[in-house]
Short mmCIF file of all heavy atoms in Angstrom, two decimals:
data_model
loop_
_atom_site.label_atom_id
_atom_site.label_comp_id
_atom_site.label_asym_id
_atom_site.label_seq_id
_atom_site.Cartn_x
_atom_site.Cartn_y
_atom_site.Cartn_z
N LEU A 1 120.74 82.35 111.39
CA LEU A 1 119.31 82.55 111.16
C LEU A 1 118.72 83.13 112.45
O LEU A 1 118.65 82.43 113.48
CB LEU A 1 118.62 81.23 110.82
CG LEU A 1 119.13 80.50 109.57
CD1 LEU A 1 118.42 79.16 109.41
CD2 LEU A 1 118.93 81.37 108.33
N HIS A 2 118.35 84.38 112.42
CA HIS A 2 117.91 85.05 113.65
C HIS A 2 116.47 84.67 114.01
O HIS A 2 115.59 84.68 113.16
CB HIS A 2 118.02 86.56 113.49
CG HIS A 2 119.44 87.04 113.36
ND1 HIS A 2 120.32 87.04 114.42
CD2 HIS A 2 120.13 87.52 112.29
CE1 HIS A 2 121.49 87.50 114.02
NE2 HIS A 2 121.40 87.79 112.73
N ALA A 3 116.27 84.36 115.28
CA ALA A 3 114.93 84.07 115.77
C ALA A 3 114.14 85.36 115.94
O ALA A 3 114.71 86.40 116.29
CB ALA A 3 115.02 83.34 117.12
N ALA A 4 112.84 85.30 115.67
CA ALA A 4 111.98 86.47 115.89
C ALA A 4 111.62 86.56 117.37
O ALA A 4 111.25 85.56 117.99
CB ALA A 4 110.72 86.35 115.05
N ARG A 5 111.75 87.75 117.94
CA ARG A 5 111.42 87.95 119.35
C ARG A 5 109.91 87.80 119.55
O ARG A 5 109.11 88.24 118.73
CB ARG A 5 111.89 89.32 119.82
CG ARG A 5 111.83 89.51 121.34
CD ARG A 5 112.48 90.81 121.76
NE ARG A 5 112.44 91.00 123.20
CZ ARG A 5 113.33 90.51 124.06
NH1 ARG A 5 114.34 89.79 123.60
NH2 ARG A 5 113.23 90.72 125.36
N GLY A 6 109.53 87.15 120.64
CA GLY A 6 108.13 86.90 120.91
C GLY A 6 107.37 88.16 121.32
O GLY A 6 107.94 89.23 121.52
N SER A 7 106.07 88.02 121.46
CA SER A 7 105.18 89.15 121.75
C SER A 7 104.83 89.21 123.24
O SER A 7 104.91 88.22 123.97
CB SER A 7 103.88 89.03 120.95
OG SER A 7 104.14 89.05 119.56
N ILE A 8 104.44 90.41 123.67
CA ILE A 8 103.87 90.63 124.99
C ILE A 8 102.45 91.14 124.77
O ILE A 8 102.24 92.08 124.00
CB ILE A 8 104.68 91.65 125.80
CG1 ILE A 8 106.13 91.17 125.97
CG2 ILE A 8 104.05 91.88 127.17
CD1 ILE A 8 107.05 92.20 126.61
N VAL A 9 101.47 90.50 125.40
CA VAL A 9 100.06 90.90 125.21
C VAL A 9 99.42 91.14 126.56
O VAL A 9 99.92 90.69 127.60
CB VAL A 9 99.28 89.82 124.42
CG1 VAL A 9 99.91 89.58 123.05
CG2 VAL A 9 99.21 88.51 125.20
N ASP A 10 98.29 91.87 126.56
CA ASP A 10 97.58 92.12 127.81
C ASP A 10 96.66 90.94 128.12
O ASP A 10 96.65 89.93 127.41
CB ASP A 10 96.85 93.46 127.78
CG ASP A 10 95.48 93.40 127.13
OD1 ASP A 10 95.20 92.43 126.37
OD2 ASP A 10 94.67 94.32 127.35
N ARG A 11 95.87 91.03 129.17
CA ARG A 11 95.04 89.91 129.62
C ARG A 11 94.02 89.49 128.56
O ARG A 11 93.56 88.35 128.54
CB ARG A 11 94.35 90.26 130.93
CG ARG A 11 93.31 91.34 130.85
CD ARG A 11 92.78 91.74 132.23
NE ARG A 11 92.15 90.65 132.94
CZ ARG A 11 92.64 90.05 134.03
NH1 ARG A 11 93.78 90.46 134.55
NH2 ARG A 11 91.99 89.07 134.61
N ASN A 12 93.67 90.41 127.65
CA ASN A 12 92.70 90.12 126.60
C ASN A 12 93.34 89.78 125.27
O ASN A 12 92.64 89.66 124.26
CB ASN A 12 91.76 91.31 126.44
CG ASN A 12 91.00 91.63 127.72
OD1 ASN A 12 90.41 90.75 128.34
ND2 ASN A 12 91.05 92.89 128.14
N GLY A 13 94.67 89.65 125.25
CA GLY A 13 95.36 89.32 124.02
C GLY A 13 95.73 90.51 123.16
O GLY A 13 96.21 90.34 122.04
N VAL A 14 95.53 91.72 123.65
CA VAL A 14 95.88 92.93 122.90
C VAL A 14 97.40 93.07 122.87
O VAL A 14 98.05 93.06 123.93
CB VAL A 14 95.25 94.19 123.54
CG1 VAL A 14 95.67 95.45 122.79
CG2 VAL A 14 93.73 94.07 123.56
N PRO A 15 98.01 93.20 121.67
CA PRO A 15 99.47 93.30 121.60
C PRO A 15 100.00 94.55 122.29
O PRO A 15 99.55 95.66 122.04
CB PRO A 15 99.75 93.36 120.09
CG PRO A 15 98.52 92.80 119.44
CD PRO A 15 97.38 93.19 120.34
N LEU A 16 100.98 94.34 123.14
CA LEU A 16 101.66 95.44 123.82
C LEU A 16 103.07 95.64 123.27
O LEU A 16 103.60 96.74 123.30
CB LEU A 16 101.72 95.18 125.33
CG LEU A 16 100.38 94.96 126.04
CD1 LEU A 16 100.62 94.60 127.50
CD2 LEU A 16 99.49 96.19 125.93
N ALA A 17 103.67 94.56 122.80
CA ALA A 17 105.01 94.61 122.18
C ALA A 17 105.12 93.45 121.21
O ALA A 17 104.74 92.33 121.55
CB ALA A 17 106.10 94.53 123.24
N TYR A 18 105.61 93.72 120.01
CA TYR A 18 105.81 92.65 119.03
C TYR A 18 106.88 93.06 118.04
O TYR A 18 107.27 94.23 117.97
CB TYR A 18 104.50 92.32 118.29
CG TYR A 18 103.95 93.44 117.44
CD1 TYR A 18 104.25 93.52 116.08
CD2 TYR A 18 103.12 94.42 117.99
CE1 TYR A 18 103.74 94.55 115.30
CE2 TYR A 18 102.62 95.44 117.22
CZ TYR A 18 102.92 95.50 115.87
OH TYR A 18 102.42 96.52 115.09
N THR A 19 107.37 92.08 117.29
CA THR A 19 108.43 92.31 116.32
C THR A 19 107.86 92.27 114.92
O THR A 19 107.06 91.38 114.58
CB THR A 19 109.54 91.25 116.48
OG1 THR A 19 110.12 91.40 117.78
CG2 THR A 19 110.63 91.44 115.44
N ALA A 20 108.26 93.22 114.09
CA ALA A 20 107.77 93.30 112.72
C ALA A 20 108.94 93.46 111.76
O ALA A 20 110.05 93.84 112.15
CB ALA A 20 106.80 94.48 112.56
N ASP A 21 108.69 93.14 110.47
CA ASP A 21 109.72 93.32 109.45
C ASP A 21 110.11 94.79 109.32
O ASP A 21 109.26 95.68 109.47
CB ASP A 21 109.22 92.81 108.09
CG ASP A 21 109.06 91.30 108.07
OD1 ASP A 21 109.72 90.63 108.88
OD2 ASP A 21 108.26 90.80 107.24
N ALA A 22 111.36 95.03 109.06
CA ALA A 22 111.86 96.40 108.87
C ALA A 22 113.07 96.35 107.95
O ALA A 22 113.51 95.26 107.54
CB ALA A 22 112.22 97.01 110.22
N LYS A 23 113.60 97.52 107.63
CA LYS A 23 114.76 97.57 106.76
C LYS A 23 115.74 98.65 107.25
O LYS A 23 115.33 99.72 107.68
CB LYS A 23 114.36 97.86 105.32
CG LYS A 23 113.61 96.70 104.66
CD LYS A 23 113.46 96.89 103.17
CE LYS A 23 112.84 95.66 102.52
NZ LYS A 23 112.73 95.80 101.04
N ASP A 24 117.03 98.30 107.18
CA ASP A 24 118.09 99.28 107.40
C ASP A 24 118.46 99.89 106.05
O ASP A 24 118.43 99.20 105.02
CB ASP A 24 119.33 98.62 108.00
CG ASP A 24 119.11 98.14 109.43
OD1 ASP A 24 118.15 98.62 110.07
OD2 ASP A 24 119.89 97.28 109.88
N ILE A 25 118.83 101.16 106.05
CA ILE A 25 119.29 101.83 104.82
C ILE A 25 120.79 102.00 104.93
O ILE A 25 121.29 102.60 105.89
CB ILE A 25 118.60 103.19 104.63
CG1 ILE A 25 117.08 103.03 104.63
CG2 ILE A 25 119.08 103.85 103.35
CD1 ILE A 25 116.56 102.09 103.55
N VAL A 26 121.51 101.42 103.96
CA VAL A 26 122.97 101.47 103.98
C VAL A 26 123.47 102.04 102.65
O VAL A 26 122.74 102.07 101.65
CB VAL A 26 123.57 100.07 104.21
CG1 VAL A 26 123.11 99.51 105.55
CG2 VAL A 26 123.21 99.13 103.08
N ALA A 27 124.73 102.49 102.66
CA ALA A 27 125.34 103.04 101.45
C ALA A 27 126.72 102.44 101.25
O ALA A 27 127.41 102.08 102.24
CB ALA A 27 125.45 104.55 101.54
N ASP A 28 127.11 102.30 100.00
CA ASP A 28 128.50 102.02 99.63
C ASP A 28 129.05 103.33 99.08
O ASP A 28 128.83 103.67 97.91
CB ASP A 28 128.57 100.92 98.58
CG ASP A 28 130.01 100.59 98.19
OD1 ASP A 28 130.92 101.38 98.53
OD2 ASP A 28 130.23 99.56 97.53
N PRO A 29 129.70 104.14 99.91
CA PRO A 29 130.14 105.48 99.49
C PRO A 29 131.01 105.47 98.23
O PRO A 29 131.02 106.45 97.48
CB PRO A 29 130.92 106.00 100.70
CG PRO A 29 130.32 105.27 101.86
CD PRO A 29 130.02 103.90 101.33
N THR A 30 131.72 104.35 98.00
CA THR A 30 132.61 104.32 96.82
C THR A 30 131.81 104.27 95.52
O THR A 30 132.36 104.52 94.44
CB THR A 30 133.56 103.12 96.88
OG1 THR A 30 132.80 101.90 96.80
CG2 THR A 30 134.35 103.13 98.18
N MET A 31 130.52 103.93 95.61
CA MET A 31 129.68 103.85 94.42
C MET A 31 128.94 105.16 94.14
O MET A 31 128.27 105.30 93.11
CB MET A 31 128.67 102.71 94.56
CG MET A 31 129.27 101.32 94.61
SD MET A 31 128.03 100.02 94.87
CE MET A 31 127.05 100.21 93.37
N VAL A 32 129.01 106.10 95.10
CA VAL A 32 128.29 107.37 94.95
C VAL A 32 129.18 108.36 94.20
O VAL A 32 130.29 108.67 94.66
CB VAL A 32 127.91 107.95 96.33
CG1 VAL A 32 127.19 109.29 96.17
CG2 VAL A 32 127.03 106.96 97.10
N PRO A 33 128.71 108.88 93.08
CA PRO A 33 129.51 109.87 92.34
C PRO A 33 129.86 111.07 93.21
O PRO A 33 128.99 111.59 93.92
CB PRO A 33 128.61 110.27 91.18
CG PRO A 33 127.69 109.10 91.00
CD PRO A 33 127.46 108.55 92.36
N VAL A 34 131.12 111.47 93.18
CA VAL A 34 131.57 112.57 94.04
C VAL A 34 130.71 113.81 93.85
O VAL A 34 130.31 114.47 94.82
CB VAL A 34 133.06 112.89 93.76
CG1 VAL A 34 133.50 114.11 94.56
CG2 VAL A 34 133.93 111.69 94.09
N GLY A 35 130.36 114.12 92.62
CA GLY A 35 129.60 115.34 92.36
C GLY A 35 128.16 115.27 92.79
O GLY A 35 127.46 116.29 92.83
N ASP A 36 127.67 114.05 93.13
CA ASP A 36 126.26 113.89 93.51
C ASP A 36 126.05 113.73 95.01
O ASP A 36 124.91 113.55 95.46
CB ASP A 36 125.67 112.67 92.80
CG ASP A 36 125.58 112.85 91.30
OD1 ASP A 36 125.56 114.02 90.86
OD2 ASP A 36 125.52 111.83 90.58
N ARG A 37 127.11 113.76 95.80
CA ARG A 37 126.98 113.47 97.24
C ARG A 37 126.00 114.43 97.92
O ARG A 37 125.16 114.01 98.73
CB ARG A 37 128.35 113.54 97.90
CG ARG A 37 129.27 112.38 97.55
CD ARG A 37 130.67 112.63 98.07
NE ARG A 37 131.56 111.50 97.75
CZ ARG A 37 132.88 111.57 97.85
NH1 ARG A 37 133.47 112.70 98.26
NH2 ARG A 37 133.61 110.52 97.54
N LEU A 38 126.09 115.71 97.63
CA LEU A 38 125.23 116.68 98.29
C LEU A 38 123.78 116.47 97.89
O LEU A 38 122.86 116.57 98.73
CB LEU A 38 125.69 118.11 97.96
CG LEU A 38 124.95 119.23 98.72
CD1 LEU A 38 125.07 119.03 100.23
CD2 LEU A 38 125.48 120.59 98.31
N GLU A 39 123.54 116.17 96.62
CA GLU A 39 122.17 115.95 96.17
C GLU A 39 121.61 114.66 96.79
O GLU A 39 120.44 114.61 97.17
CB GLU A 39 122.13 115.87 94.64
CG GLU A 39 122.40 117.22 93.97
CD GLU A 39 122.16 117.15 92.46
OE1 GLU A 39 120.98 117.09 92.07
OE2 GLU A 39 123.15 117.15 91.72
N TYR A 40 122.44 113.61 96.91
CA TYR A 40 122.02 112.40 97.60
C TYR A 40 121.57 112.75 99.03
O TYR A 40 120.51 112.32 99.49
CB TYR A 40 123.20 111.42 97.68
CG TYR A 40 123.34 110.43 96.56
CD1 TYR A 40 123.30 110.84 95.23
CD2 TYR A 40 123.53 109.08 96.82
CE1 TYR A 40 123.46 109.94 94.20
CE2 TYR A 40 123.70 108.16 95.79
CZ TYR A 40 123.66 108.61 94.48
OH TYR A 40 123.82 107.71 93.46
N ALA A 41 122.43 113.48 99.71
CA ALA A 41 122.16 113.82 101.11
C ALA A 41 120.88 114.64 101.23
O ALA A 41 120.09 114.44 102.17
CB ALA A 41 123.34 114.59 101.69
N THR A 42 120.64 115.54 100.31
CA THR A 42 119.43 116.37 100.34
C THR A 42 118.18 115.52 100.16
O THR A 42 117.16 115.73 100.84
CB THR A 42 119.51 117.46 99.25
OG1 THR A 42 120.68 118.23 99.45
CG2 THR A 42 118.28 118.36 99.30
N LEU A 43 118.24 114.55 99.26
CA LEU A 43 117.10 113.67 99.03
C LEU A 43 116.85 112.74 100.21
O LEU A 43 115.70 112.46 100.60
CB LEU A 43 117.33 112.85 97.76
CG LEU A 43 117.29 113.59 96.43
CD1 LEU A 43 117.77 112.67 95.30
CD2 LEU A 43 115.88 114.09 96.13
N LEU A 44 117.91 112.23 100.82
CA LEU A 44 117.79 111.24 101.88
C LEU A 44 117.44 111.84 103.24
O LEU A 44 116.78 111.19 104.07
CB LEU A 44 119.10 110.46 102.00
CG LEU A 44 119.44 109.51 100.85
CD1 LEU A 44 120.89 109.07 100.94
CD2 LEU A 44 118.51 108.30 100.88
N SER A 45 117.85 113.06 103.48
CA SER A 45 117.74 113.67 104.81
C SER A 45 116.34 113.56 105.43
O SER A 45 116.19 113.05 106.55
CB SER A 45 118.19 115.13 104.76
OG SER A 45 117.98 115.75 106.00
N PRO A 46 115.27 114.01 104.76
CA PRO A 46 113.96 113.95 105.41
C PRO A 46 113.44 112.52 105.61
O PRO A 46 112.56 112.31 106.43
CB PRO A 46 113.06 114.74 104.45
CG PRO A 46 113.73 114.63 103.12
CD PRO A 46 115.19 114.62 103.42
N LEU A 47 114.00 111.56 104.88
CA LEU A 47 113.50 110.19 104.95
C LEU A 47 114.23 109.34 105.98
O LEU A 47 113.67 108.36 106.48
CB LEU A 47 113.60 109.52 103.58
CG LEU A 47 112.81 110.20 102.45
CD1 LEU A 47 113.02 109.47 101.13
CD2 LEU A 47 111.32 110.24 102.79
#
């Protein structure tokens, strides 16, 4: 169970550094249809 990193604030309490929720994007290549790989890559690239 990972601990959330604490915050750094200025003298007035203004946040200078903090931790927020995020997401990693992962793939299981064996589940991607061979004929769709290029189209997958085209859709994912800008994002």
Side-chain angles (χ1 to χ4, degrees):
L1 300 176
H2 294 288
R5 191 172 180 85
S7 299
I8 301 173
V9 301
D10 84 341
R11 67 187 299 110
N12 301 310
V14 177
L16 303 175
Y18 64 94
T19 297
D21 291 337
K23 291 191 174 183
D24 292 341
I25 304 301
V26 300
D28 181 346
T30 65
M31 295 177 63
V32 178
V34 175
D36 293 337
R37 288 171 179 166
L38 186 57
E39 290 188 73
Y40 269 50
T42 303
L43 290 170
L44 290 166
S45 175
L47 300 178

